Amino acid sequence: GEDVEQSLFLSVREGDSSVINCTYTDSSSTYLYWYKQEPGAGLQLLTYIFSNMDMKQDQRLTVLLNKKDKHLSLRIADTQTGDSAIYFCAEGDTGRRALTFGSGTRLQVQP
Amino acid sequence: GAVVSQHPSRVICKSGTSVKIECRSLDFQATTMFWYRQFPKQSLMLMATSNEGSKATYEQGVEKDKFLINHASLTLSTLTVTSAHPEDSSFYICSAATGDNEQFFGPGTRLTVL
């Protein structure tokens, strides 16, 4: 079945770059997503990438996709304390089907 | 981006009662909505897929008679937890998909069953 894995925790200093990694197993994944969840809140869609792309940049966020290795990463440049949250990667084959989520990576930004 | 709302945001109920949670897509129509459940410090687990005008599709291990889903319109899906018990306490999140392959999530509903 589908499986999405992430490391559980990442700590960085304010101003540094953060890189959150994710691996997935479903080769039919069409879209790969990054969501942010702050304590007690729902999920905020940060960005998503189509599987035929290898990079997508949106302001401070850069998504890299290695489809051969089924590896996805999210780079946050100039990380701020407000970026502290849990980041989930998720995969899906179309927008009409439910997503499979990773376990989430807790990002802690030290001032 | 598109907005999905949930109501209520928090609910506390007594064991044995039923609780209804609403999920609305505010500025777009969603023929399909999804209901997820999240336990503390864990990921989201899909419970069911809600299809407008037809029966919901439940994931394995999810009791359809306990978690009733109704998707009566293109902007509203409801999840009713019937005869709730303390083990049903969780964070329930819905999502709706736009035609652009984006999925937007509601803010979640925290259910506490005493």
Side-chain angles (χ1 to χ4, degrees):
Chain A
E2 303 147 0
D3 194 22
V4 180
E5 294 189 357
Q6 299 177 239
S7 54
L8 293 180
F9 184 75
L10 175 66
S11 179
V12 300
R13 290 192 181 276
E14 191 173 17
D16 288 349
S17 292
S18 308
V19 179
I20 302 171
N21 295 301
C22 172
T23 58
Y24 60 98
T25 58
D26 189 353
S27 57
S28 68
S29 297
T30 307
Y31 294 93
L32 295 135
Y33 302 80
W34 284 103
Y35 287 89
K36 176 183 180 183
Q37 185 179 38
E38 298 187 56
L43 274 69
Q44 174 192 353
L45 176 64
L46 291 177
T47 186
Y48 69 97
I49 189 168
F50 188 47
S51 61
N52 70 353
M53 299 168 63
D54 51 21
M55 188 182 89
K56 181 177 181 181
Q57 188 157 2
D58 183 2
Q59 298 181 347
R60 292 193 296 125
L61 305 178
T62 304
V63 178
L64 295 177
L65 174 62
N66 181 327
K67 192 174 181 181
K68 175 176 169 288
D69 294 338
K70 299 189 183 69
H71 181 267
L72 181 74
S73 68
L74 174 70
R75 178 176 181 271
I76 305 173
D78 187 24
T79 314
Q80 303 297 306
T81 54
D83 295 324
S84 293
I86 300 176
Y87 290 80
F88 290 95
C89 68
E91 63 86 22
D93 57 10
T94 71
R96 300 294 175 188
R97 210 194 73 178
L99 304 182
T100 301
F101 283 84
S103 55
T105 299
R106 181 177 296 275
L107 174 64
Q108 182 179 72
V109 182
Q110 309 276 9
Chain B
V3 179
V4 176
S5 70
Q6 278 184 244
H7 178 79
S9 57
R10 291 179 181 268
V11 57
I12 300 172
C13 69
K14 292 183 178 180
S15 187
T17 60
S18 295
V19 174
K20 181 187 282 188
I21 303 170
E22 293 185 347
C23 176
R24 293 182 186 271
S25 56
L26 297 185
D27 48 5
F28 67 100
Q29 293 183 332
T31 55
T32 304
M33 292 183 175
F34 304 97
W35 286 97
Y36 296 83
R37 185 172 179 177
Q38 186 182 30
F39 289 107
K41 298 185 179 180
Q42 293 189 26
S43 188
L44 280 73
M45 298 302 294
L46 178 68
M47 297 176 65
T49 302
S50 172
N51 302 297
E52 187 267 338
S54 65
K55 291 182 179 180
T57 304
Y58 290 83
E59 295 300 297
Q60 193 172 11
V62 178
E63 299 175 58
K64 63 179 181 181
D65 294 330
K66 180 166 185 64
F67 298 100
L68 300 179
I69 290 173
N70 185 293
H71 195 155
S73 77
L74 288 172
T75 59
L76 174 63
S77 176
T78 60
L79 168 68
T80 301
V81 183
T82 62
S83 187
H85 291 284
E87 58 265 30
D88 298 324
S89 298
S90 188
F91 195 52
Y92 292 86
I93 305 178
C94 71
S95 74
T98 70
D100 298 326
N101 296 300
E102 294 176 313
Q103 278 209 19
F104 293 92
F105 285 76
T109 297
R110 184 163 300 285
L111 171 64
T112 303
V113 185
L114 302 177

